[in-house]
Amino acid sequence: MISAEKLVESAPFGLACFRIIRDSKNKLKGFSLHKMNPMFKFLFSFENEIIDHFKELNLQNVLEIFQKEDAPANYNQLYYSKVNNAWYNLDCWIADTEWLMISVKEKVETRISEDIFAKLSTQFAHLSGKDFFEAISAQIALILGIDYVFVGKLNQNTLSVTVLGGYAMGSQMGELTYELDGTPCQNVMGKELCIYPNDVQYLFPKDILLQEMGVNAYLGSPIMSKEGDPLGIIVALNREPFNTTNQIEQIINLFIDRVTAEMQRFKSEQSFQESQIRMKSIINTMAEGLVMHISTGEIVFVNHNAEKILGLSNSQLMGRTPIDKTWQTIYEDGSDFPGEEHPAMITLKTGIPQKNILMGVVKSNDQISWISVNSQPVFGENESVPNAVVATFNDITETKKITTHYKTILQNSIDGFWIHDKKGKIIEVNEAFCRLIGYSREELLSMSVSDIEAKETEKEVSEHMKKIISSKSDRFETQHRRKDGKIIDIEVSAKYIDFGYEYIVVFVRDITERKQYEEALKESEEKFRNLFNTMPNGYYQSVPEGKFIDANPAFIEMLGYQDLEELKQVDIKKTLYVQPDERDDILTHNAEFINQEENYRLRKKDGTAIWIEDNARYVKDEEGNVLYHEGICRDISDRIKFEMELRKRNSELDRFVYSASHDLRAPLSSLLGLINLAETMTTDENSEFIQIYNMMGKSVKKLDDFISEILDYSRNHHLPVASEEINFETEIQYIVKSLDYLNNGIIWELEISINGNNIIKSDRKRLKIILNNLISNAIKYLDSSKPESRISITVDRKENEAIITISDNGIGIKPEYFPKIFDMFFRATEKSTGSGLGLYIAKETVEKLNGTITSESTFGEGSIFTVRIPNKIN
Amino acid sequence: MLAPQKILLVDDNYIDLFITRTFLEKFVGAETISTANSGLEALNFIKNINNGFPEIIFLDIKMPEMDGFEFLGEFEKLSDKRKTTCEIYMLSSSQDLNDVKKSYSNPHVKKFISKPISQELLKNLFS
């Protein structure tokens, strides 16, 4: 130990000796100062606090180093003494296993000033990339007083190095890339620090660069990533051999962490830039417009399509914010779209992405580009407020044109319809809906679905809309409240549509009326059912195959069945009809006619036959196929029986009339014959017999005329109306001749004028009855007190009718009788010898011919009868 | 026409037969006036006659056994050629137009006369 103590005393440099403290396992545990010389003491200058000071010196490091099993024999450490602001070399070694010796030698030739640290923390702080590497290279070169220092990055192929920044003989090093092969750097890349203090050119003859630069000494240190991969290299070169390698090595080590950090940053910045370039090209080629806003709203990036869609150049867009007044943006309804509501601004404010917001951008040429905007927030790491927002948008102007067209169609739709957005805000509505709900379009456009919904609550509406969006469509019935407060039933058909922007198209149909109808229908069906069940007429439905499918109680009873089930068993074809052929006839009829009334006989359950009047028709489907046959029928057996009876009576009456005409007239004509004969047997014309025969004849004739009239009347009622051409001249002449005996001895003149060339067709027999009655009246009531009597008959033969006028200057009709002249058994004069049937029969007969008869008369002057008979020529 | 000499009266009513016969005898001066009380009687008379086929037949319509129209039908069927010169006058109290029409549809019917017969009427027929 003496030797160690003596050494401390005699050393020309600072030297201290520490006793090694070991634990029970003989492991190094610590040091305690044993002895130091004045030089050592001076350099550290803390007499009493030296141990502490050594702690500062990181004696712990020394301890750790020597604790290792493969601990070096000695250890060097650079020490900066604050006493005289100088760098010292500390050499540590273990002596005699008991002592740690530390020598302090002021060996650093180039003094490294404190400002290296300052520079590291201040001057270099703001530098990056090339600038940083140049600055730090220069710094190292200056500190160490060597010619070249540079930082290079290992290229991706790991075969070459590119200089990122360097110092060369007082100036910046130019750009340079060199192959590693055959250079000392190649060894460094083997992850080792390499020092060649001299003659490096000889060691690496292939390295031409070394020769060109006239390099003699070389130091290279690898720059490693955290993962242990080589990123690059830091190289120090000198044209003179290195005096000390330790110092250089330590300086390099001092900087290496910072360089590594920068290298790593630089590398990721480069890959970031590369990916940025790639991203940019993607962004520029993408179909959507893309704009990036920073937190102030200012645009910091736009892609080509954004320029195109917005109609503005990159430079016009950069720096602009959505709130900028130069924007002219509108909502779909044409109202102003404030910049504050721009989705990018909303996202910036709230951090919530916005989707498919429709916005119209008015371009400088006043054309509107419709865009659908999405916005996505960009957050900084661990930040909750976005620092930027990326807005992307599509030009949907074309789509919207189609949509507008679509809307135009819908506007004209009869059904109510509206469009609302996902929040329920109404954005379009048609006239029909306005009418339905009673609000104007303008009012509705500021309303939401829940404002008019009357059945669902606001929450339910919202839930319902979500459901519609997820299922794409829905159809349901609900109620709406009209502006006037009235609740209306409606049927809603909602569709979720995504035309680049999302909305819900809603069709609305007012079903209030339908509901009312449904109610009314129900009621009416009930009524019908009641009627059906209680009506006296039978109702049935049957199918062409010959089975009943439904019938009302009256019908079932009519046919004598117990109930419908029993009726359904009936084979219509075989057993129902008395004459089964009839059914086919009827079916054929009803195939052609609707509501054809048919009478036929059916057999009741007990076999008796009944007459049925059936008002039946086919019920067909839309294609015209027969569904069933339905009819309303009555049991007309009684009526048929009665009609048959009536027909029999009528025919009996006809026979009676005929035989009466003969049997009554026969004795009369015999009597007249006898009178005629008796008259011929009297030679004396003034004989009273002649007068008596005459009176007898007239009485019989009168009776005969009466019988004729009754027969006429009877015929008028029974004979069908005939149609034949009428020769008025002949008919009138014949009648006048046959009636002349009525003249009472008055001599009269007849005027007949037939006018017009139209052929008149009518019922000749009836016309004769009419003329006969009118002419006989005219003759009978001629006025004997007048000097000249006349009867004029004119016939105007028109295309559609014949107008017959019979006028006379006879006695006329008293005004008080006039209204009654056409009545049955009415006689207008005491003088009358008539039956009182004549004019009545004339009128009846005219009416049978669908004609008219009118008369005018002045008592004492004469009468005019006008008959109009339709021409049946057509 | 000249006054006919052979006349057949067919009527079931004896009064009418009397009237017609008396008028004919008195004003026409017919030589032979035969009578029959029905169509059937008249038909048998004609069928069995040898000489003196009637020149004129006055025929009533309504008669028992065989009425006037039935007689006309049978008369039509006769093959006797003498019937071509025979004129038939319907003499009936009927005024029914159907009877008139039906009568004139037979070629042998010369005229339809509605009863009663009168002096004047006979004058018009045979003068």
Side-chain angles (χ1 to χ4, degrees):
Chain A
M1 179 60 232
I2 294 160
S3 62
E5 277 179 31
K6 278 187 178 165
L7 190 63
V8 170
E9 282 168 8
S10 60
F13 47 83
L15 184 66
C17 150
F18 296 78
R19 188 183 294 276
I20 293 171
I21 303 162
R22 295 179 189 275
D23 64 11
S24 55
K25 289 172 185 170
N26 201 31
K27 207 169 174 196
L28 218 80
K29 197 182 165 190
F31 309 106
S32 75
L33 182 63
H34 180 69
K35 196 170 189 165
M36 60 181 165
N37 66 6
M39 182 63 185
F40 191 93
K41 197 177 180 178
F42 167 74
L43 283 173
F44 291 95
S45 74
F46 302 108
E47 212 168 332
N48 298 320
E49 300 167 35
I50 193 134
I51 300 300
D52 294 334
H53 194 68
F54 268 96
K55 275 178 189 164
E56 263 183 49
L57 264 179
N58 207 356
L59 214 57
Q60 191 64 30
N61 275 356
V62 179
L63 181 66
E64 279 172 19
I65 286 164
F66 286 106
Q67 273 175 339
K68 287 178 186 170
E69 286 190 8
D70 58 344
N74 62 46
Y75 165 73
N76 297 330
Q77 188 182 332
L78 203 63
Y79 170 69
Y80 181 78
S81 168
K82 287 177 180 173
V83 176
N84 57 356
N85 288 333
W87 286 88
Y88 292 86
N89 248 347
L90 256 69
D91 274 333
C92 312
W93 69 97
I94 307 282
D96 297 335
T97 70
E98 218 176 322
W99 306 99
L100 171 70
M101 306 299 292
I102 298 176
S103 71
V104 182
K105 293 171 188 167
E106 194 187 359
K107 280 200 171 173
V108 180
E109 287 163 18
T110 311
R111 304 219 171 246
I112 301 163
S113 68
E114 208 178 333
D115 56 32
I116 287 176
F117 293 101
K119 276 178 183 166
L120 268 176
S121 60
T122 58
Q123 197 180 331
F124 300 141
H126 71 280
L127 295 175
S128 63
K130 194 170 187 288
D131 293 342
F132 172 82
F133 295 125
E134 275 174 357
I136 209 151
S137 299
Q139 195 61 45
I140 292 167
L142 288 172
I143 289 169
L144 296 175
I146 52 176
D147 299 324
Y148 304 96
V149 177
F150 67 85
V151 179
K153 80 172 172 76
L154 181 65
N155 288 326
Q156 220 156 7
N157 55 15
T158 67
L159 297 175
S160 60
V161 167
T162 297
V163 176
L164 299 176
Y167 174 87
M169 314 268 292
S171 62
Q172 293 167 357
M173 192 181 254
E175 281 182 24
L176 174 70
T177 298
Y178 61 92
E179 302 294 321
L180 282 174
D181 189 36
T183 67
C185 295
Q186 194 175 17
N187 295 349
V188 180
M189 289 308 173
K191 304 180 187 178
E192 292 184 347
L193 184 139
C194 297
I195 301 175
Y196 304 97
N198 47 49
D199 298 325
V200 69
Q201 282 186 36
Y202 298 104
L203 293 171
F204 298 95
K206 277 187 183 175
D207 192 340
I208 295 168
L209 214 58
L210 292 177
Q211 293 169 27
E212 282 177 1
M213 291 156 78
V215 171
N216 190 276
Y218 175 99
L219 181 144
S221 173
I223 301 168
M224 312 286 276
S225 74
K226 282 181 206 157
E227 291 77 29
D229 297 322
L231 297 172
I233 188 167
I234 183 163
V235 180
L237 302 164
N238 204 16
R239 288 179 295 173
E240 300 295 324
F242 288 142
N243 296 332
T244 165
T245 55
N246 257 2
Q247 191 191 6
I248 297 168
E249 208 183 317
Q250 284 184 40
I251 290 288
I252 293 292
N253 276 340
L254 195 66
F255 283 96
I256 198 87
D257 282 348
R258 181 68 181 88
V259 171
T260 303
E262 180 57 22
M263 177 73 81
Q264 234 155 3
R265 193 204 63 80
F266 179 76
K267 201 177 171 189
S268 53
E269 186 192 272
Q270 271 210 319
S271 23
F272 173 70
Q273 275 174 0
E274 276 165 26
S275 88
Q276 279 249 308
I277 288 162
R278 278 200 304 275
M279 182 69 82
K280 215 163 172 174
S281 97
I282 289 166
I283 286 167
N284 274 333
T285 51
M286 71 196 240
E288 288 171 312
L290 184 144
V291 170
M292 185 163 176
H293 302 261
I294 54 169
S295 57
T296 56
E298 284 173 298
I299 293 173
V300 292
F301 178 80
V302 292
N303 74 347
H304 293 328
N305 263 323
E307 295 174 59
K308 213 168 104 188
I309 293 168
L310 299 172
L312 293 166
S313 71
N314 188 301
S315 56
Q316 283 173 309
L317 285 165
M318 288 302 237
R320 214 196 255 202
T321 71
I323 321 166
D324 194 305
K325 292 297 168 203
T326 52
W327 288 112
Q328 245 194 295
T329 47
I330 54 169
Y331 277 114
E332 203 186 5
D333 61 8
S335 66
D336 199 39
F337 198 131
E340 290 76 12
E341 287 178 25
H342 190 290
M345 294 308 279
I346 290 175
T347 301
L348 270 179
K349 207 163 126 189
T350 62
I352 299 163
Q354 301 290 302
K355 263 192 94 183
N356 298 335
I357 308 297
L358 183 68
M359 181 192 275
V361 180
V362 184
K363 293 194 193 172
S364 53
N365 56 5
D366 274 350
Q367 282 197 339
I368 299 170
S369 281
W370 289 97
I371 57 173
S372 172
V373 187
N374 293 316
S375 59
Q376 191 69 37
V378 179
F379 293 100
E381 215 175 317
N382 298 325
E383 280 179 55
S384 58
V385 178
N387 54 29
V389 59
V390 174
T392 55
F393 44 89
N394 291 325
D395 188 347
I396 55 157
T397 311
E398 285 305 312
T399 320
K400 194 161 180 311
K401 268 185 203 164
I402 297 162
T403 318
T404 309
H405 176 63
Y406 177 60
K407 256 199 286 198
T408 314
I409 296 166
L410 293 178
Q411 272 298 353
N412 298 323
S413 143
I414 303 157
D415 286 343
F417 117 93
W418 84 68
I419 300 176
H420 63 78
D421 65 15
K422 291 199 294 177
K423 286 174 188 160
K425 186 184 178 301
I426 297 169
I427 54 177
E428 190 55 70
V429 61
N430 77 344
E431 265 308 303
F433 186 70
C434 294
R435 280 197 300 275
L436 181 67
I437 202 76
Y439 287 103
S440 71
R441 183 171 179 271
E442 287 63 37
E443 285 173 317
L444 285 168
L445 290 183
S446 64
M447 293 168 77
S448 284
V449 180
S450 50
D451 294 332
I452 48 174
E453 174 63 40
K455 200 173 180 182
E456 294 178 12
T457 64
E458 201 173 330
K459 203 182 157 196
E460 283 169 335
V461 168
S462 166
E463 289 295 313
H464 204 156
M465 279 193 295
K466 275 181 200 158
K467 206 183 114 198
I468 291 164
I469 290 166
S470 71
S471 65
K472 303 292 181 205
S473 72
D474 193 16
R475 197 187 178 97
F476 55 97
E477 287 183 11
T478 184
Q479 290 181 320
H480 280 179
R481 183 176 287 107
R482 283 176 53 93
K483 194 182 181 183
D484 59 18
K486 203 180 138 198
I487 305 289
I488 49 171
D489 290 300
I490 55 153
E491 184 188 71
V492 174
S493 158
K495 269 196 167 53
Y496 167 74
I497 286 175
D498 186 354
F499 269 147
Y501 55 97
E502 300 160 282
Y503 53 72
I504 295 169
V505 177
V506 179
F507 283 91
V508 171
R509 190 170 296 128
D510 183 359
I511 54 166
T512 310
E513 221 171 298
R514 198 187 78 191
K515 286 242 166 179
Q516 284 168 357
Y517 277 139
E518 279 170 2
E519 275 304 304
L521 184 68
K522 220 172 108 187
E523 212 172 288
S524 120
E525 264 175 5
E526 238 163 70
K527 277 184 188 165
F528 171 74
R529 190 39 72 172
N530 273 340
L531 183 71
F532 176 81
N533 284 333
T534 58
M535 71 179 186
N537 290 350
Y539 173 84
Y540 69 88
Q541 290 180 351
S542 64
V543 284
E545 292 72 38
K547 288 284 174 196
F548 285 108
I549 53 173
D550 198 4
N552 72 345
F555 186 80
I556 298 166
E557 200 192 322
M558 198 181 287
L559 288 177
Y561 287 94
Q562 291 260 296
D563 52 32
L564 182 61
E565 289 315 305
E566 199 180 38
L567 183 72
K568 281 182 177 175
Q569 305 305 315
V570 174
D571 185 341
I572 298 176
K573 277 181 184 170
K574 283 182 185 165
T575 62
L576 189 67
Y577 284 83
V578 171
Q579 287 169 291
D581 302 350
E582 273 187 328
R583 181 174 185 266
D584 297 331
D585 293 347
I586 292 159
L587 289 185
T588 323
H589 271 295
N590 285 347
E592 290 158 18
F593 302 108
I594 301 164
N595 285 346
Q596 181 73 10
E597 192 181 294
E598 299 278 354
N599 295 342
Y600 48 83
R601 275 180 297 165
L602 296 183
R603 235 173 249 299
K604 289 174 72 166
K605 187 186 173 188
D606 61 13
T608 55
I610 53 166
W611 276 97
I612 292 287
E613 180 193 85
D614 187 9
N615 219 312
R617 67 182 189 116
Y618 273 132
V619 176
K620 294 174 181 179
D621 65 11
E622 280 169 4
E623 276 84 43
N625 303 314
V626 174
L627 296 175
Y628 57 87
H629 180 240
E630 69 170 8
I632 293 176
C633 44
R634 288 192 292 154
D635 180 352
I636 53 159
S637 301
D638 290 346
R639 200 186 79 191
I640 291 282
K641 218 164 115 189
F642 177 71
E643 276 176 1
M644 279 165 71
E645 187 69 19
L646 190 69
R647 214 171 291 144
K648 197 174 135 204
R649 291 279 167 83
N650 269 337
S651 103
E652 276 170 7
L653 187 66
D654 281 347
R655 276 204 306 281
F656 168 76
V657 167
Y658 180 81
S659 63
S661 79
H662 190 269
D663 296 349
L664 282 173
R665 284 207 77 241
L668 283 181
S669 58
S670 299
L671 188 53
L672 276 175
L674 287 170
I675 293 166
N676 287 346
L677 193 56
E679 280 176 332
T680 63
M681 288 170 180
T682 312
T683 47
D684 182 2
E685 286 195 3
N686 298 319
S687 151
E688 286 183 335
F689 283 114
I690 295 287
Q691 285 175 34
I692 292 164
Y693 291 142
N694 223 320
M695 285 188 280
M696 282 167 73
K698 278 187 180 168
S699 287
V700 175
K701 185 73 188 153
K702 200 170 142 188
L703 183 57
D704 194 30
D705 286 347
F706 179 60
I707 291 164
S708 297
E709 279 171 355
I710 286 177
L711 291 176
D712 284 346
Y713 175 74
S714 164
R715 278 190 205 114
N716 183 41
H717 274 264
H718 291 100
L719 295 175
V721 176
S723 170
E724 53 202 309
E725 192 180 337
I726 308 295
N727 185 335
F728 284 96
E729 179 90 43
T730 315
E731 300 294 341
I732 292 166
Q733 290 287 5
Y734 177 82
I735 290 164
V736 168
K737 220 178 210 173
S738 69
L739 293 172
D740 194 37
Y741 70 93
L742 294 167
N743 66 19
N744 295 316
I746 299 166
I747 294 165
W748 56 283
E749 274 181 35
L750 174 69
E751 292 167 22
I752 300 173
S753 79
I754 312 290
N755 310 314
N757 297 319
N758 294 300
I759 291 168
I760 301 292
K761 277 193 173 178
S762 188
D763 188 321
R764 200 167 64 90
K765 286 175 205 165
R766 286 192 167 85
L767 199 62
K768 273 176 83 174
I769 291 169
I770 296 160
L771 290 171
N772 201 64
N773 277 295
L774 295 176
I775 294 169
S776 73
N777 275 354
I779 296 170
K780 272 189 253 177
Y781 304 116
L782 285 171
D783 192 346
S784 56
S785 65
K786 287 190 177 116
E788 281 175 10
S789 289
R790 56 155 191 88
I791 295 170
S792 64
I793 301 168
T794 59
V795 178
D796 289 326
R797 295 184 295 188
K798 309 247 171 171
E799 196 183 336
N800 294 322
E801 60 179 0
I803 306 167
I804 305 157
T805 314
I806 298 162
S807 63
D808 60 67
N809 64 343
I811 58 174
I813 302 160
K814 281 187 181 168
E816 61 263 41
Y817 298 142
F818 192 71
K820 292 183 170 179
I821 55 169
F822 292 112
D823 289 0
M824 198 181 213
F825 298 120
F826 179 79
R827 291 187 182 86
T829 167
E830 323 298 302
K831 202 187 155 194
S832 172
T833 55
S835 60
L837 275 175
L839 283 178
Y840 172 73
I841 290 167
K843 187 168 189 280
E844 288 277 298
T845 313
V846 167
E847 280 168 5
K848 191 88 180 178
L849 297 179
N850 293 324
T852 59
I853 181 165
T854 55
S855 71
E856 40 192 299
S857 180
T858 310
F859 185 64
E861 286 184 17
S863 308
I864 304 169
F865 284 81
T866 307
V867 175
R868 290 167 177 266
I869 302 292
N871 192 357
K872 287 188 80 182
I873 190 137
N874 300 316
Chain B
M1 72 176 284
L2 289 173
Q5 295 308 302
K6 298 176 189 101
I7 298 172
L8 174 61
L9 306 179
V10 188
D11 204 322
D12 62 328
N13 187 330
Y14 73 96
I15 298 174
D16 284 0
L17 275 180
F18 165 75
I19 296 166
T20 312
R21 178 191 269 270
T22 312
F23 268 114
L24 287 171
E25 282 171 354
K26 209 166 176 181
F27 300 105
V28 180
E31 183 191 302
T32 315
I33 299 174
S34 316
T35 58
N37 290 320
S38 74
L40 191 60
E41 246 178 61
L43 193 65
N44 287 334
F45 172 80
I46 288 171
K47 277 182 181 168
N48 297 323
I49 201 163
N50 288 328
N51 294 316
F53 195 92
E55 292 163 73
I56 287 173
I57 299 171
F58 284 97
L59 181 65
D60 188 16
I61 292 173
K62 208 175 170 228
M63 288 178 293
E65 288 185 337
M66 181 188 284
D67 70 14
F69 292 123
E70 284 166 337
F71 171 81
L72 282 176
E74 293 301 318
F75 186 79
E76 192 81 330
K77 290 180 196 162
L78 290 178
S79 52
D80 199 324
K81 281 184 182 169
R82 291 171 295 178
K83 74 176 185 186
T84 52
T85 55
C86 176
E87 289 177 347
I88 295 173
Y89 290 83
M90 302 303 287
L91 183 63
S92 167
S93 58
S94 169
Q95 286 182 334
D96 196 300
L97 283 164
N98 287 329
D99 288 348
V100 180
K101 223 185 231 172
K102 209 167 164 187
S103 303
Y104 282 119
S105 67
N106 190 294
H108 297 284
V109 174
K110 176 90 175 173
K111 200 169 172 69
F112 185 96
I113 300 163
S114 190
K115 283 177 183 173
I117 201 161
S118 67
Q119 190 185 345
E120 224 169 308
L121 195 137
L122 287 173
K123 267 187 196 161
N124 286 340
L125 281 178
F126 309 111
S127 62

